[in-house]
Amino acid sequence: MAEKTEAATGGAGAGKQPRSVRVVLLALMIAMMLAMLDNMIIGTAMPTIVGELGGLEHLSWVVTAYTLATAASTPLWGKLGDMYGRKGVFMTSIVIFLAGSALSGMAQDMGQLIGFRAVQGLGAGGLMVGVMAIIGDLIPPRERGKYQGMIAGVMALSMIGGPLVGGTITDHWGWRWSFYINIPLGVIALIAISAVLHLPKKRSEARIDYLGAALLTIGITAIVLVTTWGGTEYAWTSARIMELIGIGVAALVGFVFWQTRAAEPILPLHIFRSRNFTLMSVIGFIVGFVMFGATLFLPLYQQSVQGASATNSGLLLLPMLGAMLVTSMVAGRVTTSTGRYKIFPVAGGALMTVGLYLLSTMDTDTTRFTSGLYMAVVGLGMGCLMQITMLVAQNSVEMKDMGVASSSTTLFRTLGSSFGVAIMGALFNNRVQDVMAERAAGSGAKATEQSATLTADALNALPAAIRDAYQHAVSAGTHTAFLLGSAVAVLALVASFFVKEVPLKGAGPKAADAPVDGDGDPATAKAPVTEAV
């Protein structure tokens, strides 16, 4: 592979043209927000969409198609960026995402919407990876911590504001604008990136690893379908789920075998020789497992047990997301000023474990203030982990593997979220059904079936005995789900103790020209950079 690269001693343009760097970072944050906001906005608009297009039986596929396409394309986008240059590949992913958004807004039936959502998901797979990899190109790891607050802020804003924005757009402009709203934001990002982002041009003579891409796509698709359908569309022991598990395992085993022989593998296995990279992949998976499980069950608990309004469901997560934002900013600043970071995975794993255990103790008498404090503890833990995992993973590989490192970390977090929602959801539903059977027998069946959609008003309309039984059932379900989350979070805590604190690249004069250590982690090295922005 022939590549044009340049080296310097600072970040790409970090000191030369900081205004241009800030413009690029703003465009990158817009692109990240597009990817994160989409499902949040569409979730609020779904009842209206179904009312106009019909196809209620295919409703879940509107989300599943997007999720599948995003997860399956993520590794490929990262590798393409490494091979052919980050800028062009990233802009292509934005264009595909915008095309999918426009087509989704024009869909005339549910089948078209599902297909166009898959196109949108293909583009979304490159958005998050592109943002992380370009930041990795532009800014040395030592300085990268300062921008963690921006990334965490976009995540928090998307989770809090998504449902509110979706509801407002749907009520005043119609559901189609839930998709069209992406277009002006995406165009702004495209113009800014095209005008001011200049990265080294790359020319690769190697062919894309099509077989590896196909095997990985089949494996990821099977995994996501198992976690999406298991316990809902099909029983966990059904033939369809068993078939998917078999296909997924066979495809992934074949993928690993092929990656040892491919000339330009989609996911080079040598990056897992780095202890830190492997540990960050594990921790990232657990963060995804916990975070998306928490964002699913906390609003459900507060609406069903504490009587909160579903309209402000995003605001219910404010204690957790606010704590995550503040901690992420502090962690970034401390990492930048000291160059030390191991304390954050350790503290994050401990806080997340304790916070999830505290959430598991909530019952029908828990106040909103108390549950808010418990959520804040979880948020503090996630704030210590969210961006540090990406930072350490990128610091553990060579510049030529920056894209696959970013995509792999993103992929493990995505798979973690799929497993978290599926497993915690299965435990939650089983526990709710058991408690309803104990407390309300057959009279509570209807409420149990509506457990994911029962609003505060609908809950108040139920007979007092069934309402009380349902509230106890949801409380018991969240107890089981969060107790599992706490047990899983212990694994992140254990993994964090094995992280080796390798000095961050670009950390100063002592960081120059140090060798790779025995664990496969680059010790210290000159910050690899690009031509000025």
Side-chain angles (χ1 to χ4, degrees):
M1 181 195 306
E3 296 182 356
K4 173 189 173 184
T5 57
E6 297 184 14
T9 55
K16 297 178 182 179
Q17 298 183 26
R19 182 174 301 175
S20 296
V21 173
R22 287 197 295 269
V23 172
V24 171
L25 289 173
L26 178 61
L28 294 177
M29 293 305 105
I30 292 174
M32 175 181 285
M33 185 170 64
L34 288 175
M36 298 204 64
L37 265 178
D38 194 75
N39 271 336
M40 299 286 180
I41 291 178
I42 302 309
T44 309
M46 281 312 300
T48 306
I49 294 174
V50 172
E52 181 173 328
L53 299 183
L56 178 62
E57 67 276 15
H58 304 303
L59 175 64
S60 62
W61 273 103
V62 175
V63 175
T64 301
Y66 180 91
T67 304
L68 275 176
T70 300
S73 63
T74 292
L76 187 57
W77 284 115
K79 186 61 180 180
L80 289 174
D82 286 341
M83 293 175 66
Y84 300 111
R86 213 82 64 199
K87 179 178 177 179
V89 170
F90 182 57
M91 292 180 68
T92 300
S93 71
I94 295 177
V95 170
I96 293 175
F97 180 84
L98 296 182
S101 298
L103 291 170
S104 296
M106 293 185 287
Q108 298 301 307
D109 57 51
M110 191 61 78
Q112 289 183 11
L113 180 59
I114 291 170
F116 296 149
R117 284 281 286 166
V119 174
Q120 207 182 4
L122 287 175
L127 295 183
M128 288 289 289
V129 173
V131 168
M132 296 300 182
I134 290 173
I135 289 177
D137 277 350
L138 292 178
I139 303 166
R142 176 70 177 263
E143 300 298 317
R144 212 172 294 156
K146 292 190 294 188
Y147 301 95
Q148 287 181 18
M150 293 174 60
I151 298 172
V154 169
M155 291 181 175
L157 181 64
S158 300
M159 291 181 181
I160 294 172
L164 299 176
V165 172
T168 301
I169 290 175
T170 302
D171 290 341
H172 293 87
W173 297 349
W175 66 266
R176 296 182 186 277
W177 276 97
S178 296
F179 297 103
Y180 293 151
I181 194 67
N182 293 329
I183 297 174
L185 293 174
V187 169
I188 291 172
L190 277 173
I191 293 172
I193 291 169
S194 176
V196 300
L197 177 62
H198 303 285
L199 295 174
K201 294 180 175 61
K202 297 182 180 181
R203 297 180 301 276
S204 175
E205 302 300 329
R207 296 182 60 188
I208 297 173
D209 179 16
Y210 292 107
L211 177 58
L215 289 170
L216 184 59
T217 298
I218 293 171
I220 291 173
T221 299
I223 289 173
V224 174
L225 287 178
V226 167
T227 57
T228 302
W229 285 347
T232 54
E233 298 287 330
Y234 302 96
W236 285 104
T237 56
S238 67
R240 179 60 56 85
I241 296 299
M242 292 297 105
E243 289 170 1
L244 285 172
I245 291 175
I247 291 171
V249 170
L252 293 177
V253 170
F255 171 76
V256 172
F257 175 80
W258 175 248
Q259 293 305 280
T260 62
R261 288 159 174 75
E264 192 66 45
I266 289 289
L267 185 60
L269 299 183
H270 67 79
I271 62 178
F272 291 97
R273 295 173 188 163
S274 163
R275 178 205 299 178
N276 278 2
F277 181 85
T278 302
L279 291 172
M280 290 304 110
S281 298
V282 171
I283 293 173
F285 179 93
I286 294 170
V287 170
F289 188 106
V290 167
M291 182 176 179
F292 285 89
T295 54
L296 174 65
F297 295 111
L298 281 171
L300 179 59
Y301 169 84
Q302 291 192 308
Q303 291 170 40
S304 301
V305 179
Q306 298 180 328
S309 169
T311 305
N312 298 320
S313 57
L315 296 176
L316 300 176
L317 300 174
L318 190 57
M320 182 177 73
L321 298 175
M324 184 182 78
L325 172 60
V326 172
T327 310
S328 185
M329 293 177 65
V330 171
R333 292 290 178 178
V334 172
T335 301
T336 297
S337 61
T338 66
R340 306 186 72 84
Y341 54 80
K342 182 173 180 176
I343 183 63
F344 295 111
V346 174
L351 287 167
M352 200 163 61
T353 301
V354 171
L356 287 164
Y357 175 76
L358 291 174
L359 289 177
S360 75
T361 65
M362 295 189 302
D363 55 28
T364 55
D365 297 322
T366 303
T367 65
R368 292 190 190 181
F369 177 77
T370 301
S371 61
L373 288 179
Y374 295 167
M375 283 191 283
V377 176
V378 176
L380 292 173
M382 289 195 297
C384 290
L385 293 170
M386 284 294 292
Q387 303 310 319
I388 288 292
T389 53
M390 181 65 73
L391 172 64
V392 177
Q394 290 180 336
N395 191 58
S396 302
V397 301
E398 299 177 29
M399 279 296 292
K400 67 182 181 66
D401 293 322
M402 185 67 69
V404 293
S406 302
S407 64
S408 298
T409 306
T410 303
L411 176 62
F412 279 110
R413 188 176 296 173
T414 301
L415 294 178
S417 68
S418 294
F419 276 90
V421 170
I423 298 174
M424 293 172 76
L427 290 175
F428 173 85
N429 289 331
N430 289 337
R431 186 60 180 150
V432 167
Q433 291 171 4
D434 290 344
V435 174
M436 287 298 291
E438 293 172 6
R439 288 180 169 265
S443 61
K446 187 175 181 180
T448 304
E449 292 171 0
Q450 298 174 338
S451 61
T453 57
L454 201 58
T455 64
D457 290 339
L459 185 63
N460 290 330
L462 292 174
I466 296 180
R467 181 172 66 247
D468 180 72
Y470 180 69
Q471 290 177 331
H472 278 86
V474 171
S475 177
T478 54
H479 165 78
T480 303
F482 287 129
L483 197 60
L484 170 67
S486 180
V488 172
V490 170
L491 299 178
L493 176 60
V494 172
S496 66
F497 282 109
F498 292 94
V499 172
K500 185 173 183 179
E501 193 160 51
V502 178
L504 296 174
K505 300 169 187 175
K510 291 183 181 180
D513 302 322
V516 173
D517 67 25
D519 294 311
D521 293 304
T524 52
K526 285 185 179 180
V529 276
T530 62
E531 55 194 46
V533 174

